[in-house]
Amino acid sequence: MPTLDRHDDVFVLDLGDGENRFHPDWIAGVHAALDKVEQAGNPSALVTAATGKIFSNGLDLEWLGDHPDKFQEYAASVQELFARVLALPVITVAALQGHTFAAGAMLSLAHDFRVMRADRGYWCLPEADIDIPFTRGMSALIQSRLAPQAAHRAMTTAHRYGGPDAAAAGIVDHAVEAEAVRPTAIALAETLAGKAGPTLGVIKARMYAHVLETLRDTDNPLG
C-alpha cells in the first residue's frame, strides 16, 4: 500500500514496491495521502515515487477479471485519480525509478514534472498492443500533456521510451542516474513548494478545464 513521508516542505508518496497496480484499495490509499497533502497548506509540494523495478504497471486487470460488473465504476475511479492529481493545488513531481506503463504512465503525466531513470526502465502506453482503447478522458489527458507528435507516437505505436528518449520527446523533464531520481525530484519540488495554494489550484483547473470535465464524466467513463 502507498505510504506518505515528509521531507521539510516536500511530501513523498511511495506507491509501493510491487507492480503498484490500481487496485481499489490502492487507489483509496493514494487519495488518503493526497488528503494530507492538500491539508498541509503553503509551503508544500508532492513527489510521487515507488520502490523497486516498477513505478506502476497500471490497471489491476486481475481484479477487473474478478469483478467485470464493476468495470465502469472502476474506470471512473481511475480517471478521478488522474483528475485529482492533475488539479492538485501543489506542485507535483513524479520520480520514475522503474517501468512506467499504461495507467501508470498516465498517472505520471498528471504530475507537473517527471524525473526518470536514464539507464533502465521504460515509459510506455501499450494499449495499441493489448487491444484496450484509450477512453476519451485518457486521450484528453495524454494529448494535453504531450506535444502532438509525441502523443501520436506513444498512443499509436506503443513505443517503449527509455529515459533519454523520453526526455528528448518531452515526456519527462529530466533523465538521471538511478540513485539521483528521487533526490532530483525532491530538490525540484522543494524549489516550487511556495507555489502551493488556492491560486495554483485555480490556474490548473482553468488550464485543464476540458480534460478535467472529460475525466470526470461518470455517466460515460469508458467512452
Side-chain angles (χ1 to χ4, degrees):
M1 290 296 291
T3 58
L4 186 69
D5 293 313
R6 187 165 188 172
H7 299 259
D8 297 323
D9 296 330
V10 178
F11 287 93
V12 177
L13 171 60
D14 192 312
L15 300 179
D17 61 359
E19 291 194 23
N20 301 325
R21 290 186 178 270
F22 288 45
H23 185 280
D25 292 341
W26 183 92
I27 293 174
V30 174
H31 276 298
L34 297 181
D35 288 342
K36 294 179 181 179
V37 174
E38 285 202 66
Q39 293 163 6
N42 184 313
S44 59
L46 173 68
V47 168
T48 303
T51 305
K53 297 180 179 179
I54 298 170
F55 177 79
S56 173
N57 270 343
L59 302 185
D60 192 330
L61 300 180
E62 182 177 349
W63 185 89
L64 274 174
D66 293 337
H67 303 84
D69 57 317
K70 296 186 177 181
F71 193 13
Q72 183 160 316
E73 177 184 344
Y74 176 76
S77 72
V78 169
Q79 295 190 161
E80 173 54 35
L81 179 60
F82 295 158
R84 186 174 187 191
V85 174
L86 185 65
L88 207 67
V90 303
I91 291 297
T92 58
V93 185
L96 311 179
Q97 90 300 338
H99 295 310
T100 305
F101 276 64
M106 296 177 220
L107 178 62
S108 76
L109 291 179
H111 288 71
D112 297 308
F113 302 99
R114 284 155 296 287
V115 178
M116 185 174 177
R117 180 174 175 173
D119 62 331
R120 286 188 180 182
Y122 292 106
W123 187 100
C124 178
L125 297 172
E127 279 73 9
D129 283 345
I130 60 178
D131 295 325
I132 299 179
F134 299 99
T135 66
R136 290 187 307 113
M138 292 173 178
S139 297
L141 171 63
I142 297 163
Q143 291 176 275
S144 72
R145 300 295 285 128
L146 297 181
Q149 287 181 320
H152 183 89
R153 186 183 188 196
M155 295 174 76
T156 63
T157 72
H159 181 70
R160 294 187 176 197
Y161 292 86
D165 286 344
I171 295 170
V172 302
D173 301 279
H174 303 283
V176 300
E177 296 300 318
E179 63 274 8
V181 173
R182 192 177 295 206
T184 299
I186 291 173
L188 174 59
E190 193 170 26
T191 66
L192 298 168
K195 309 297 182 186
T199 297
L200 181 61
V202 171
I203 289 171
K204 290 185 180 184
R206 291 176 178 172
M207 181 181 296
Y208 295 108
H210 170 69
V211 180
L212 294 169
E213 180 181 2
T214 308
L215 284 170
R216 287 173 166 154
D217 180 3
T218 56
D219 292 330
N220 187 26
L222 299 175

